[in-house]
Amino acid sequence: MGKETSQRIQTSLLNAAEKKVLVWMAERLPGWVTSDMLTFLGVGGAVVCAVGFVLANFDVMWLWLSSLGLVINWFGDSLDGTLARVRNTQRPVYGFFIDHTLDAVTQCIMFVGAGLSPMFRLDVALLVLAGYLCLSVYTYIGAILKGEFRLTYSSFGPTEFRLIVILLNTLYMYTSWADSRFTLQGCEFGVFDAICFVVALILFAMYLVQFAKDKKVLAKQDPLKK
C-alpha cells in the first residue's frame, strides 16, 4: 500500500491528451535516459522557474525563463513514471520514495521563488503552497488507506496548475494588471495577489470536499466499536 502500484486516479481536463503525448515521447527517448534523470530534471526545472521569478524584479521579461522552467519541470516530473511504465522498469518502493519526496522540495522551490518575485507577496504565495501540500499529503493518505493515488481533484491537476502560472506570467508581462494595487487592513496587494488568494481558496475547498466524501466512506468501512 502507498506505493506506485496504487490505482492512479486522473480526471483532469488534459489527462487523455497528455497521456498520449507522454507515451509518445517516452517511446522515443534514447536508452541512456533514465527515470531518475527525468526526476532530477524536473527539480532542475523548478530551480530555473524560481530563478526566473527572482530575476523578474530587475526585468519582468525574465518571467519567460520562469515559464520555461515550468515546462522543463512538467517534462521531467510527468515523464519519469511514464518512461518506467513504457519500459516495464517500475520500482514501486524506490520510485514512490524518490519521486514524491522530491516533489515536496520542488514545490517549495517554485512557490518561494514566486513569493520573491514582483508578481506575488511572499505570504500569499506560501498560502497557496500550504494548500498544494495539504492536497499532496491527502493524496499519500489515500494511497495508504484506499490504495488510490489521486493525481487530480475534480478537473484540476499539476499540469493545469502549471498552465495557470504560465498564463499569469504572460499576463503580468503584457498587460497593465501589474500596476493595479489596493490596500486591505493596511497591507498593499496587487491583482495577482488576489488571483493567487482565490487559487489558495480553491485548493483548500477541494481538500475539504474530498475529506467530507472520504470521511463518510471510511466511517462505514471502519465503524465505531460498541
Side-chain angles (χ1 to χ4, degrees):
M1 301 176 72
K3 302 175 183 177
E4 289 291 351
T5 51
S6 300
Q7 180 186 2
R8 299 165 67 85
I9 307 298
Q10 293 178 305
T11 57
S12 67
L13 290 171
L14 300 175
N15 175 55
E18 182 183 22
K19 186 175 181 180
K20 292 179 182 178
V21 170
L22 290 172
V23 171
W24 184 88
M25 290 191 296
E27 291 173 341
R28 286 159 178 79
L29 284 176
W32 54 267
V33 176
T34 67
S35 292
D36 272 5
M37 290 174 61
L38 292 171
T39 299
F40 285 103
L41 178 65
V43 177
V47 174
V48 171
C49 176
V51 169
F53 275 132
V54 174
L55 290 178
N57 287 288
F58 305 100
D59 186 338
V60 294
M61 289 298 120
W62 280 108
L63 289 175
W64 279 116
L65 180 65
S66 175
S67 296
L68 174 62
L70 287 166
V71 174
I72 295 172
N73 174 256
W74 168 81
F75 182 85
D77 184 54
S78 300
L79 200 54
D80 54 0
T82 302
L83 183 66
R85 286 186 287 275
V86 166
R87 294 180 178 176
N88 197 27
T89 57
Q90 299 98 315
R91 301 169 69 182
V93 176
Y94 176 82
F96 188 92
F97 166 74
I98 196 71
D99 191 16
H100 303 301
T101 300
L102 291 177
D103 272 350
V105 176
T106 296
Q107 300 310 322
C108 288
I109 291 171
M110 290 194 290
F111 280 105
V112 170
L116 296 176
S117 77
M119 287 180 63
F120 309 111
R121 289 171 54 100
L122 180 59
D123 51 0
V124 178
L126 293 180
L127 181 64
V128 180
L129 173 61
Y132 197 98
L133 291 179
C134 280
L135 284 175
S136 297
V137 170
Y138 199 92
T139 295
Y140 307 141
I141 292 172
I144 294 170
L145 296 181
K146 300 167 60 182
E148 294 179 354
F149 195 82
R150 181 171 288 278
L151 295 166
T152 58
Y153 289 85
S154 184
S155 298
F156 190 81
T159 299
E160 287 76 14
F161 195 91
R162 293 184 187 98
L163 288 174
I164 288 174
V165 177
I166 291 173
L167 175 61
L168 292 179
N169 284 349
T170 306
L171 289 173
Y172 192 88
M173 288 185 285
Y174 294 106
T175 70
S176 60
W177 292 9
D179 301 323
S180 301
R181 317 290 296 179
F182 61 94
T183 302
L184 183 64
Q185 296 294 315
C187 296
E188 187 179 68
F189 296 87
V191 171
F192 289 85
D193 292 316
I195 295 172
C196 200
F197 185 74
V198 170
V199 171
L201 291 180
I202 292 172
L203 292 175
F204 283 110
M206 290 191 293
Y207 176 89
L208 292 174
V209 168
Q210 193 63 43
F211 170 79
K213 290 180 180 179
D214 288 339
K215 181 177 179 294
K216 293 181 180 180
V217 173
L218 294 175
K220 293 179 180 179
Q221 179 180 319
D222 186 21
L224 182 68
K225 303 294 190 295
K226 296 181 180 180

